[in-house]
Amino acid sequence: MNSHLDMLTHIRADGPTQPVPGISELTEHLRERMAAVGDTAFQEFAYLQRVAAETWGAAATSHFALVLRKARVVPKEVRVSRWKMANTAIDRLPSEWQTSLRAIAARSEAGNVMSGLPILSSDYLGAVTTALCRYVDYARSRGVALVPSGADLHCYALWLTDPENTQYGVSVRAAADYLSRIKAGLNLMEPSIASPAREFVCRFWRERGRAAGTPTKTGDQLVGAAAIYNLGFRQIGDARRAPMRGVRAATVYRNGLILALGIALPQRARAISALDFGNTLWIEASDRLHARIPARMLKKREDQKAGDPFDIVWHNARLVAALEDYRRCYRPLFDDGTSLFPSVHAPWQTISEERIGQLSADITEKKLGVRIPIHRFRDNAGTDAAEHLRAGRLATKALLDHADIGTGDPYDHSGNAKSAAEFGEFIDSRRSTPTDLLL
């Protein structure tokens, strides 16, 4: 007797007028099949849902996916905290450097503000410590001093940017960042060993980095906020039209929301990862959303992480409808949590900010032909706001949550578009028969 074939036969014979098998019946069926055929039961059950969806429709059979996910996916260990990662990096440093850095880490994690002593974020401390570790490895392999002179730092930067250094080679901008972190780490451990020569080398490479630009930021990534926003809703539409409503469709829907919300609420990846129904995001009306993101998830100095949150209410009926549909029909397919962007592989956990950036880049590369990580959404939103909204740069300041209007300069690329448009109008006015100028 094969219960899988029996249930398939019943589904096909009963037809759409008969009741859909419930969660209890399906759970017991899957348990029996797992005992009989092992992991093959998962493939059988997925096919069972496909046949059921053809009979009763995707919405009426979405609970099949809940049963399958509960049986197939088990809770994963909680990710290692950022402070734990920073302390692990400190373990790799020379023992004489560890004491002072551990004291800074402990004081920073506790938020213990003391006059004249630094409070660092786990990310910054981790970046500084990692840069020091890499230099120590380099110094030991070449027999140079662990506390570098200016010349040592310069040679290290040359080695990092050597085109033939295929294992560790980086851009000039990245090398400049590494040198700055090494200098900062040395100053943290022992302020008295500050070196004018190191300062000069770091400044020299910083200026070279500025001149070279950022290789990960290109003009091609400025596709316009509307293009990214609409791509998000196309993803949502694809999920809604899927013939079977399971975790795969829910994931496509989730990814569409990352794009749409990344433009509608152009914050950094960490802030976006904090969105949670009823905790940091509320639907207040059919066209009104309220986001309140704690300061610890924002780009602030560590001693300001207990300060005021980012708090905004905005109107967007289309996005409200999409979020309502997601919360009701698709979000429960992951788990019974409330985070807006849950993990596929780790129930009751949220995807990381790094994963959000990777997903946004992967999707835009596939659909738009250019990789646009989530942080570059801010450039697109800021540029469009400055170019098209009546408030111009004032709108950019409010939209991107900048303390000063000048902070938005790197995000506002509207000047070139405006110049091209004005030049086009000028040329057009000089023609006897006006035509459009494509720039």
Side-chain angles (χ1 to χ4, degrees):
M1 179 179 178
N2 188 320
S3 59
H4 168 65
L5 296 178
D6 288 344
M7 182 165 280
L8 273 177
T9 301
H10 284 307
I11 290 174
R12 287 170 171 153
D14 289 347
T17 60
Q18 299 302 312
V20 184
I23 289 180
S24 297
E25 180 182 354
L26 293 172
T27 300
E28 180 61 22
H29 169 78
L30 181 55
R31 186 189 64 77
E32 291 178 355
R33 290 304 295 165
M34 288 172 62
V37 297
D39 289 350
T40 302
F42 298 143
Q43 299 173 3
E44 291 180 352
F45 197 84
Y47 181 71
L48 199 67
Q49 182 182 2
R50 186 182 311 165
V51 174
E54 292 171 356
T55 303
W56 290 290
T61 55
S62 61
H63 61 286
F64 279 68
L66 293 173
V67 173
L68 181 58
R69 182 168 173 78
K70 187 174 182 179
R72 174 182 263 173
V73 183
V74 297
K76 303 294 192 299
E77 291 185 6
V78 177
R79 297 187 198 97
V80 175
S81 75
R82 294 179 182 275
W83 287 110
K84 176 66 174 177
M85 293 170 66
N87 278 292
T88 299
I90 292 174
D91 289 341
R92 295 171 50 205
L93 291 172
S95 57
E96 61 270 24
W97 290 4
Q98 294 182 18
T99 302
S100 57
L101 287 177
R102 289 198 189 287
I104 293 171
R107 187 172 62 251
S108 297
E109 185 175 8
N112 187 10
V113 179
M114 299 177 66
S115 178
L117 296 176
I119 295 292
L120 307 179
S121 70
S122 57
D123 285 332
Y124 182 70
L125 183 60
V128 165
T129 307
T130 300
L132 286 170
C133 289
R134 290 174 178 171
Y135 178 76
V136 166
D137 292 341
Y138 165 86
R140 285 172 172 166
S141 68
R142 282 161 176 74
V144 299
L146 295 184
V147 177
S149 65
D152 292 334
L153 273 188
H154 183 65
C155 290
Y156 180 55
L158 291 174
W159 177 75
L160 285 174
T161 55
D162 185 348
E164 296 184 3
N165 186 349
T166 57
Q167 184 176 3
Y168 297 105
V170 298
S171 68
V172 172
R173 181 68 174 267
D177 289 341
Y178 289 163
L179 297 194
S180 294
R181 292 167 188 167
I182 292 168
K183 175 178 71 71
L186 294 172
N187 291 343
L188 285 171
M189 290 184 292
E190 185 51 68
S192 63
I193 65 173
S195 161
R198 284 197 297 268
E199 292 282 351
F200 175 81
V201 170
C202 288
R203 186 166 60 251
F204 170 77
W205 280 89
R206 185 167 59 248
E207 293 303 321
R208 283 193 64 184
R210 286 175 179 170
T214 306
T216 57
K217 288 188 174 184
T218 66
D220 291 345
Q221 293 172 323
L222 295 174
V223 300
I228 300 172
Y229 185 73
N230 290 330
L231 173 60
F233 277 97
R234 288 202 299 275
Q235 293 282 108
I236 291 171
D238 290 343
R240 287 169 169 165
R241 289 188 295 272
M244 189 169 68
R245 187 176 293 178
V247 174
R248 181 173 298 179
T251 302
V252 173
Y253 203 120
R254 180 202 69 183
N255 294 347
L257 283 176
I258 289 175
L259 303 185
L261 264 170
I263 289 295
L265 187 68
Q267 290 295 303
R268 295 172 179 84
R270 181 175 299 180
I272 295 295
S273 71
L275 293 176
D276 189 291
F277 284 118
N279 294 304
T280 58
L281 183 70
W282 298 267
I283 297 173
E284 297 192 337
S286 61
D287 68 338
R288 190 167 70 244
L289 289 164
H290 181 189
R292 185 179 175 87
I293 300 172
R296 60 184 173 80
M297 303 301 290
L298 305 175
K299 187 179 181 181
K300 292 180 178 288
R301 285 186 358 215
E302 196 64 18
D303 57 3
Q304 297 176 347
K305 290 295 182 74
D308 294 335
F310 171 76
D311 200 321
I312 188 172
V313 175
W314 79 102
H315 294 262
N316 190 321
R318 187 183 185 191
L319 194 53
V320 167
L323 286 167
E324 287 278 27
D325 192 26
Y326 178 66
R327 181 169 62 176
R328 183 177 60 254
C329 302
Y330 293 87
R331 176 60 183 83
L333 298 178
F334 292 101
D335 52 54
D336 55 4
T338 56
S339 64
L340 210 64
F341 304 122
S343 169
V344 173
H345 304 291
W348 299 284
Q349 292 189 35
T350 302
I351 58 175
S352 67
E353 60 192 85
E354 292 83 3
R355 182 59 178 155
I356 287 177
Q358 182 182 20
L359 284 171
S360 61
D362 289 347
I363 296 168
T364 51
E365 182 178 36
K366 181 178 180 180
K367 300 294 184 178
L368 301 178
V370 59
R371 290 184 69 81
I372 311 175
I374 193 77
H375 192 80
R376 286 290 271 170
F377 285 21
R378 290 166 61 80
D379 294 74
N380 283 275
T383 298
D384 278 10
E387 184 178 355
H388 299 297
L389 298 185
R390 185 178 303 171
R393 286 299 305 280
L394 289 175
T396 300
K397 174 181 178 296
L399 191 65
L400 303 184
D401 191 33
H402 287 153
D404 183 82
I405 191 170
T407 309
D409 288 344
Y411 297 91
D412 178 12
H413 307 277
S414 63
N416 291 339
K418 290 177 180 176
S419 298
E422 290 172 3
F423 182 68
E425 291 173 1
F426 168 74
I427 294 295
D428 190 53
S429 69
R430 308 293 292 179
R431 296 176 181 274
S432 57
T433 304
T435 58
D436 290 333
L437 181 65
L438 300 177
L439 293 176

